[in-house]
């Protein structure tokens, strides 16, 4: 039987550079990053990994230009709206680490709702680190 780690953690980096290399905006780079997240989640399911942590954005994010911050805050809202039914069907539990209460209302509600709707799922835990710091 193939041996796989129980827990894999991934730190997102290079979305902005990816956008530049592909002649699109930094925000479009973040959109592509979120699409890559989807592929990673499916790969984790295939490999029977039990916990996947995705370090999405740290507290350093707030220093970025407002338009980019606004885009990043809206992205989880759209992402979970589009994906939640699929995550439930795939028996994925979503949990969130970081200062969730420090997120804007719509983002906070979207992630709390995603956690609530998937809380009884057991096949794979996806832990999104949002607004996290070193402490
Ligand atoms: C790193 O690239 C990426 C980020 C700081 C933000 C990524 C966050 C998302 C895609 C949000 C997704 C969250 C959910 C829950 C869907 P960078 O901007 O630091 O790239 P650079 O190093 O090229 O500047």
């Amino acid at each position: 039987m193939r041996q796989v780690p129980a827990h894999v953690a991934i730190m997102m980096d290079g979305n902005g550079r990816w956008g530049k290399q592909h002649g699109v905006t930094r925000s479009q780079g973040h959109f592509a990053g979120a699409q890559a997240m989807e592929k990673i989640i499916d790969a984790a399911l295939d490999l029977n990994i039990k916990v996947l942590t995705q370090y999405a954005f740290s507290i350093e994010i707030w220093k970025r230009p407002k338009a980019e911050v606004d885009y990043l805050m809206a992205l989880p809202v759209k992402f979970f709206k589009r994906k939640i039914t699929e995550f439930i069907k795939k028996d994925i539990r979503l949990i969130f680490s970081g200062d969730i209460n420090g997120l804007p209302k719509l983002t906070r509600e979207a992630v709390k709702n995603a956690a609530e709707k998937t809380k009884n799922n057991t096949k794979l835990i996806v832990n999104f680190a949002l607004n996290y710091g070193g402490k």
Side-chain angles (χ1 to χ4, degrees):
M1 199 173 133
R2 186 166 45 179
Q3 283 201 318
V4 292
H7 187 167
V8 172
I10 291 178
M11 188 160 269
M12 297 195 87
D13 192 22
N15 288 355
R17 273 165 288 160
W18 184 94
K20 199 172 173 191
Q21 279 161 13
H22 289 80
V24 297
T25 62
R26 292 183 58 82
S27 291
Q28 284 168 301
H30 293 312
F31 181 76
Q35 287 183 315
M37 268 183 175
E38 296 179 31
K39 288 193 198 151
I40 293 166
I41 291 169
D42 282 335
L45 281 173
D46 285 346
L47 290 167
N48 207 22
I49 286 166
K50 291 302 177 204
V51 186
L52 173 67
T53 291
Q54 306 223 34
Y55 287 93
F57 52 78
S58 74
I59 51 172
E60 300 297 318
I61 210 81
W62 305 109
K63 295 179 191 158
R64 296 183 182 216
K66 186 177 180 306
E68 185 176 348
V69 170
D70 288 349
Y71 185 85
L72 280 170
M73 291 305 135
L75 200 48
V77 180
K78 286 186 268 180
F79 184 81
F80 293 120
K81 196 169 182 186
R82 187 165 56 79
K83 298 288 287 185
I84 195 71
T85 309
E86 179 189 327
F87 289 150
I88 293 168
K89 211 188 292 175
K90 289 181 172 171
D91 199 17
I92 296 171
R93 180 175 180 195
L94 304 171
I95 63 171
F96 297 89
S97 306
D99 181 14
I100 301 307
N101 288 328
L103 297 172
K105 188 167 181 276
L106 280 181
T107 318
R108 191 169 68 232
E109 283 175 358
V111 305
K112 287 189 172 172
N113 178 50
E116 175 61 28
K117 284 207 167 130
T118 61
K119 68 180 180 194
N120 295 320
N121 296 350
T122 56
K123 177 152 175 58
L124 167 70
I125 293 174
V126 182
N127 171 33
F128 290 97
L130 304 177
N131 205 21
Y132 66 89
K135 285 188 189 164

